[in-house]
Each structure stands twice: as structure tokens, then as C-alpha cells.
Amino acid sequence: MSDTAMTAPGGHDDDGTTRRDFLLFTTLTVGATGAALAVWPLIDTMNPAKDVLALSSTEVDLTPVQEGQAITVVWRGKPVFIRRRTQAEIAAARSVKVSDLPDPQPDTARVKQPAWLILVGVCTHLGCIPLGQKSGDTRGDYGGWFCPCHGSHYDTSGRIRRGPAPANLTVPPYEFLNDNSVRIG
Amino acid sequence: MSKPTWTNPVVRWIDYRLPVFTFANEQLIEYPTPKNLNYWWNFGSLAGIVLVIMIATGIFLAMHYTPHVSLAFASVERIMRDVNYGWLIRYIHMNGASFFFICVYIHLFRGLYYGSYKSPRELLWIIGVLIILTMMATAFMGYVLPWGQMSFWGATVITNLFSAIPVVGQSIVSWLWGGFSVDNPTLNRFFSLHYLLPFIIFALVFLHLWALHAHHSSNPVGIDMKGPQDSIPFHPYYTVKDAFGLGVLMLVLLGFVFFAPNFFGEPDNYIEANPLVTPTHIVPEWYLLPFYAILRAIPNKLLGVIAMFGSILILVLVPWLDTSRVRSARFRPVYRVFFWVFLLDCIVLGYVGANPPEGYFITVGQLATFWYFFHFVIVLPLVGWLERPRPLPDSISASVMAGKGKEAGHA
Ligand code: HEM
Ligand code: FES
């Protein structure tokens, strides 16, 4: 480091480094570590705050939903799809070979009661809300949902079948309180 | 360059203590500039002026704007209807963003055509790429502020891009949002950053000009200035030329502001954001369309995101991908053809990006994406090796004298 021709005041080691170099190096290291640690609180302010995390769960009354119908409720600022599936839809969801799916998951792992399919209604590609909840909506080639943003098709179990989305629609945590109501979250 | 002796005693007093006058004289007045610059060299200074216009109008908009999900949309409508001249300031800011990109894109393609990125201007070029990236981030966050449907869904789609990152993607996205979806915390931080980033751009522009002035401007024939016969002082020649260009730009910009203020906009953005309804067709602002097309051309989410960012970052490598020793495409018959093909390719990508990803748009988008990267990775190095450039003139001065009339207006 320091030139041997100069007589450094710190005194020399055999290889030409001085005690001063060592002090400089350790001081810089400690300083840099301290600065890096001080940045963390700044970064962490941008993470979800406590009140945001505390967002409550949502209770939903299922009585008005007829077979073949769907409703959308809001949970944590996002839409949640609740669909009361027909026998045909359930059969369609259960007849496919699981290993052929892009994100293999059997229908049974995605529902607690076969008739009620409950999903976070946010496309796993880039976050659009798929169509298929209203009666006039297109439901895509697999009878579930269709995301118009970049063309993802979901089936009657909310599983991705074709398009750029990498994963099935998420199943939120939920619990049936009784036969006619469910708590999401 | 002779150091001037200032006659005005106040100027002399100041200049002795803080040599701003000497500096301005060296860098803006006597500053030797190639005598053969054509109008494509106007767009750098134009972009700089538009940046100043954006900052000025933005500061006044911020005095009336409220960054809250339940008030933002109404506060922008209030700017449009109730605030004195609010409509003018906002329409200049809105259209100014488009013109900022028009200037910078022309500036960039000027660089690609005339080989402005070649040694010793590589860093100058790379700083330029950083400026474009920062501009995109700034414009994207600004577009979220009015909190219309396109604001909200554009923000949702773009922030979700980061969820493609393996393992930590979802945590990064919720960190960007400050919650579980684009919401009030997101709007707040976007406003804060939208205010900050233009000043970062300003700092980058300063570095860009510093690097420029270290080796001076390149020029349409792409050979260096060899002496005083090749240059003219910046003032009055280029100050006047830049002022003329500014006049033309303002005519066009204000033409849009007064007669077609929403030409570049999306009608959907005059509908307040609704987190439960996605518009049938989400499109970003026109200046991001080619990159959006690249994102959608690739059916895999992560690879699509990589390709999109890569399409901008690859510009950083251009000084090394282009292997030709000749700067200007004027003397490169083969490269010149590929340049125009590439420009056309970018326009095709923009057109595909504006349309829904169906039918033949998918194929065209994929072909155009392929060509985009092919141009940089294969065409640039190969043409540089194989092409036989036309003979270069002896000097800037000689080229101006020989090609009278042809060189001056030719681009
Ligand atoms: C690099 C320069 C800048 C660019 C490219 C830019 C771009 C934009 C864009 C595209 C919008 C959306 C316009 C609309 O559709 O309504 C916007 C809005 C806004 N910008 Fe900027 N901006 C810049 C600088 C600034 C600065 C420096 C400030 C503040 C000091 C600012 C404050 C605002 C405000 C308050 C809005 C919301 C009002 C509105 O939507 O018109 N901007 N900006
Ligand atoms: S967001 Fe649904 S396909 Fe892209």
C-alpha cells in the first residue's frame, strides 16, 4: 500500500503495510456497516404498515348465491371470487389429468366443499381481474375465467390452463362458519 | 481559448471569486463546435428545455394536487376547472411528457445513426441510457397520480412485473405497494418519487453535458475536429439555431396543448380508479408501447420481464457491439439499411403494443421482438466486420466545402 521509500509515521510491517493502513481500513469498514444498517429503517418504512397488516377478515353470507352463480367480495382491497359450481363444472375440474396442468394441483386440494370455489380474483400474471363473474362475461376456453389483459385462461377450478400466467388463482385462507356463511382471512 | 478580461467591475469582482463568467464564456460562448451540425443535433438542447418546463409546471401542479386515493382524482379535476390557468399548466405537463420522449427518442436514434456512442463518448452514451430509464420511471409514476382507471391498472400491471423475480418477488411487490395491492401508500410514495426523480435527471443531464464537453460534439461525418477551420463558436451560431428549434417545438407542443390536449391520452383515465374493475384493454402511454410489446411477446412471465428490461439495458453495450471503426452511417452503406429496418421494427413493436394480444399481433410481436435483439447482438458486430465503408473525407472543413449543399441539409 504505502510506498516504502516514504517513512510512514505508523511504522512498517515487513510487507510495507502500516498500522495506519489497518486503522483506516477497520474504521472504513465499521463506518460502512453502520451506514448500511442505518438505511434499513428507511427501506422498512416502505413495507406494509401495522394498520395495513391488521386489515380484518371478511364474513360473507352465501344464502343468495344460486347454483351456477358467482359473487365478488372485497378482502384486503382485493376482489375475492366465490362461485357456486354446478355438477358439470365440478366434474370438468376433476376429470383432467393433474400432471398435464401447467401448475399441477388436484381440484380437491383447492376447495373445502366441492360446490364452493373461493379464489383471490387477481390474475397471477400481472394482477388484472379476470372476467367470468358476471353472466355476460366470457369465461375463456376452459369455462372458468379469462384474463383480458394478456390472455390467460383459467378452468372451473381456477387453475391456469393457457396463457402467460405462471400459477393458478390463489385460494385465500377461509373457513365455513356454517352451511350458509364463510369467513375469509 | 483566450481568457477574457472583464471590463465591468462588478463582473470582474464576482469572476475573481467565483469564475462563473469565465466558465460560461468557455462552455457556452466560445465553446468550439463542429461547423457541420445538422438539425438532428437540436434535440439534445430541446430535451433539456422540456425538462425545465416539466419541473416548472410540475411544481405548480403540486401546489394544488392531493396525493390521497379518495381525493387525488377530484383534485386534478379541480386543477382543470377551478384553479386559474390550472388546465393550461396540466395540459402542458401532460403533453410535455410526450414531447420529452419525442425529443429524447429522436436524440437517441440520431446517436445510433451517426455512431455518436463510439470512443471516446461511451460514458456519455451510457449516462444517456440512464436518463431514459429514469425518465420512464418518472413518467410512469406521474401517470399514476391523477388516479384514473389507466393510472391504477397501469400501476398494477407494472409493479406486478417484479413478482416474476424468483423467491423474493412477492415480498418486493408488497414492499413497492406498501400493502397488498396498489393503494394509498403506493400513491403517496409515487408522488414523493415523482417529485424527486426529475431532479435526479437534472443531475444526470449535468454529468451528460460534462462528458460531452470533455470531447465536444461529434458531427454528421463522424470525424474529429482537427483545428479551428473545423469549428465555429457555440454563440451566436448554435444558440440561435437552438432558439429557432425551440420556437418550432413550442409551436407544435402548444398546438397540441390548445387544440388536441388529449391526443396522446387515454379516455379511460378520466374515469376514477376502481380496484374491482379492470378496463377491457390496458395500454401504457405511447412511449412505453414498444417495451410493453416485448414483454407480451414472450409467453413466460419471468423471461418476458427480463426481455423488457434487457431491451433498454442492451443499449449500454452498443459501443462495444458495434465493431465498425467508422462512426457515421453516411459512410456505412450496409449499416444504414439496417438502421432504417431497426427504426421500422421499433415502430412495429409500438403498434403491436397498442393492440390486444390476439391473432396475428402475437406472431408479428414475436418476430419484431426477435429482430430487435438480433439487430443488436448479431447485426451490429457482423456488419461492423464485413462491411466496406466508403472513404471518409479528410476533414470536417473539407467535407463541407466539397459536398456544398448536399452535406448541409442531408441527414
Ligand atoms: C422529468 C420530468 C417529468 C415528467 C416526464 C413528468 C410526467 C408526468 C406525467 C406523464 C403525469 C400525468 C399527467 C396526466 O395524465 O394527468 C404527471 C403528473 C403530475 N406531475 Fe409530473 N412529470 C415530470 C416532472 C414533475 C415535477 C418536477 C413535479 C413536481 C414538482 C411534477 C408533479 C406532477 C403532479 C402534481 C402531477 C399530477 C397532476 C396531473 O396529473 O396532471 N412532475 N407528470
Ligand atoms: S394480467 Fe392476466 S394475463 Fe396478464
Side-chain angles (χ1 to χ4, degrees):
Chain A
M1 277 194 174
S2 83
D3 191 352
T4 25
M6 293 196 315
T7 35
H12 284 283
D13 242 350
D14 288 346
D15 59 356
T17 56
T18 63
R19 250 179 287 163
R20 181 160 294 181
D21 289 332
F22 174 77
L23 285 175
L24 186 66
F25 178 74
T26 42
T27 314
L28 281 178
T29 311
V30 172
T33 315
L37 287 177
V39 170
W40 172 246
L42 297 178
I43 294 175
D44 200 31
T45 58
M46 290 175 69
N47 271 320
K50 291 193 190 63
D51 61 334
V52 176
L53 288 173
L55 274 187
S56 58
S57 50
T58 308
E59 278 184 28
V60 188
D61 176 16
L62 300 175
T63 347
V65 190
Q66 303 296 310
E67 195 175 288
Q69 284 187 333
I71 56 169
T72 306
V73 298
V74 182
W75 171 67
R76 283 179 158 183
K78 296 182 199 190
V80 168
F81 294 164
I82 303 180
R83 189 185 278 188
R84 185 164 173 187
R85 299 189 291 183
T86 61
Q87 285 308 322
E89 285 169 341
I90 300 172
R94 302 206 158 170
S95 62
V96 286
K97 215 168 119 203
V98 173
S99 55
D100 289 347
L101 298 170
D103 180 8
Q105 230 184 357
D107 182 61
T108 43
R110 299 176 52 79
V111 289
K112 292 192 176 163
Q113 294 185 11
W116 295 101
L117 179 62
I118 302 183
L119 303 165
V120 176
V122 174
C123 180
T124 57
H125 182 228
L126 296 173
C128 290
I129 299 184
L131 298 171
Q133 286 293 93
K134 293 204 216 85
S135 51
D137 281 357
T138 156
R139 291 182 167 194
D141 293 353
Y142 298 87
W145 288 269
F146 171 70
C147 182
C149 288
H150 317 95
S152 288
H153 298 256
Y154 295 94
D155 68 9
T156 54
S157 187
R159 290 171 301 199
I160 179 66
R161 299 295 287 273
R162 182 145 54 78
N168 302 334
L169 292 176
T170 320
V171 179
Y174 68 88
E175 219 178 328
F176 281 98
L177 301 173
N178 52 51
D179 277 353
N180 288 321
S181 67
V182 65
R183 186 177 58 216
I184 297 162
Chain B
M1 238 177 299
S2 61
K3 196 179 155 70
T5 42
W6 305 101
T7 43
N8 183 318
V10 179
V11 170
R12 201 171 337 144
W13 189 91
I14 294 175
D15 200 66
Y16 182 66
R17 288 156 182 83
L18 177 71
V20 278
F21 294 100
T22 301
F23 180 81
N25 183 61
E26 275 172 20
Q27 302 298 327
L28 295 171
I29 295 175
E30 285 185 16
Y31 180 70
T33 313
K35 57 159 92 163
N36 59 339
L37 298 188
N38 58 31
Y39 275 111
W40 299 112
W41 263 259
N42 273 56
F43 288 89
S45 84
L46 290 180
I49 296 169
V50 177
L51 174 62
V52 173
I53 294 175
M54 293 307 285
I55 292 182
T57 50
I59 287 176
F60 285 92
L61 281 175
M63 294 180 191
H64 304 280
Y65 170 79
T66 316
H68 188 282
V69 285
S70 53
L71 300 169
F73 187 80
S75 79
V76 173
E77 286 309 305
R78 186 176 158 270
I79 291 174
M80 295 301 289
R81 291 150 206 256
D82 296 334
V83 174
N84 301 329
Y85 288 112
W87 59 271
L88 179 63
I89 301 297
R90 172 161 187 254
Y91 276 156
I92 293 179
H93 198 78
M94 250 170 82
N95 288 280
S98 281
F99 277 83
F100 200 9
F101 279 94
I102 290 175
C103 290
V104 170
Y105 282 153
I106 294 178
H107 191 63
L108 187 152
F109 277 97
R110 187 282 316 262
L112 287 177
Y113 187 86
Y114 291 109
S116 306
Y117 43 81
K118 288 186 192 176
S119 174
R121 297 188 182 81
E122 300 94 326
L123 267 184
L124 175 60
W125 172 261
I126 291 173
I127 295 167
V129 178
L130 293 181
I131 291 176
I132 292 211
L133 274 173
T134 321
M135 276 172 66
M136 288 174 173
T138 309
F140 159 67
M141 291 195 244
Y143 193 62
V144 176
L145 301 183
W147 208 243
Q149 272 289 67
M150 278 302 164
S151 303
F152 182 89
W153 289 101
T156 299
V157 167
I158 301 295
T159 48
N160 262 308
L161 292 179
F162 294 90
S163 68
I165 302 168
V167 189
V168 289
Q170 210 48 52
S171 321
I172 290 183
V173 172
S174 104
W175 175 73
L176 288 172
W177 289 338
F180 304 107
S181 56
V182 173
D183 209 331
N184 200 47
T186 326
L187 179 59
N188 265 288
R189 65 193 55 186
F190 278 19
F191 181 51
S192 170
L193 294 173
H194 185 67
Y195 210 134
L196 168 72
L197 288 185
F199 296 91
I200 306 261
I201 295 178
F202 208 88
L204 288 171
V205 169
F206 179 80
L207 293 179
H208 194 69
L209 290 179
W210 192 355
L212 173 71
H213 281 223
H215 292 281
H216 298 245
S217 296
S218 182
N219 64 83
V221 294
I223 52 182
D224 294 329
M225 291 189 282
K226 288 177 186 136
Q229 73 284 0
D230 288 341
S231 72
I232 43 178
F234 193 79
H235 180 74
Y237 298 103
Y238 287 112
T239 43
V240 166
K241 193 177 179 183
D242 282 345
F244 173 70
L246 176 63
V248 176
L249 177 84
M250 289 313 274
L251 276 179
V252 184
L253 169 58
L254 292 178
F256 277 100
V257 166
F258 290 123
F259 299 106
N262 290 305
F263 177 81
F264 295 105
E266 274 294 317
D268 269 15
N269 223 26
Y270 285 103
I271 303 170
E272 191 169 2
N274 180 351
L276 297 187
V277 179
T278 307
T280 41
H281 185 201
I282 298 184
V283 275
E285 293 279 82
W286 69 266
Y287 37 78
L288 302 176
L289 287 175
F291 308 103
Y292 194 55
I294 291 177
L295 167 76
R296 296 191 306 187
I298 296 178
N300 175 294
K301 180 167 158 182
L302 179 61
L303 292 180
V305 173
I306 291 174
M308 186 186 72
F309 284 109
S311 65
I312 303 170
L313 290 176
I314 200 164
L315 288 168
V316 166
L317 299 178
V318 165
W320 295 277
L321 288 172
D322 180 352
T323 50
S324 174
R325 274 170 296 109
V326 174
R327 283 204 190 103
S328 172
R330 208 176 267 187
F331 305 102
R332 300 186 56 194
V334 182
Y335 172 70
R336 194 163 56 202
V337 174
F338 281 107
F339 170 86
W340 292 111
V341 172
F342 178 68
L343 180 63
L344 186 74
D345 188 58
C346 292
I347 294 170
V348 168
L349 279 171
Y351 183 71
V352 170
N355 282 284
E358 304 159 354
Y360 78 94
F361 283 121
I362 299 180
T363 329
V364 175
Q366 286 172 342
L367 287 175
T369 300
F370 169 78
W371 187 265
Y372 185 98
F373 289 101
F374 187 79
H375 176 86
F376 286 115
V377 179
I378 308 291
V379 172
L380 278 189
L382 275 192
V383 170
W385 279 317
L386 302 178
E387 173 187 54
R388 187 141 171 268
R390 295 221 304 268
L392 296 176
D394 291 334
S395 70
I396 291 176
S397 172
S399 80
V400 174
M401 292 329 223
K404 265 198 186 7
K406 182 178 169 283
E407 293 295 343
H410 177 95

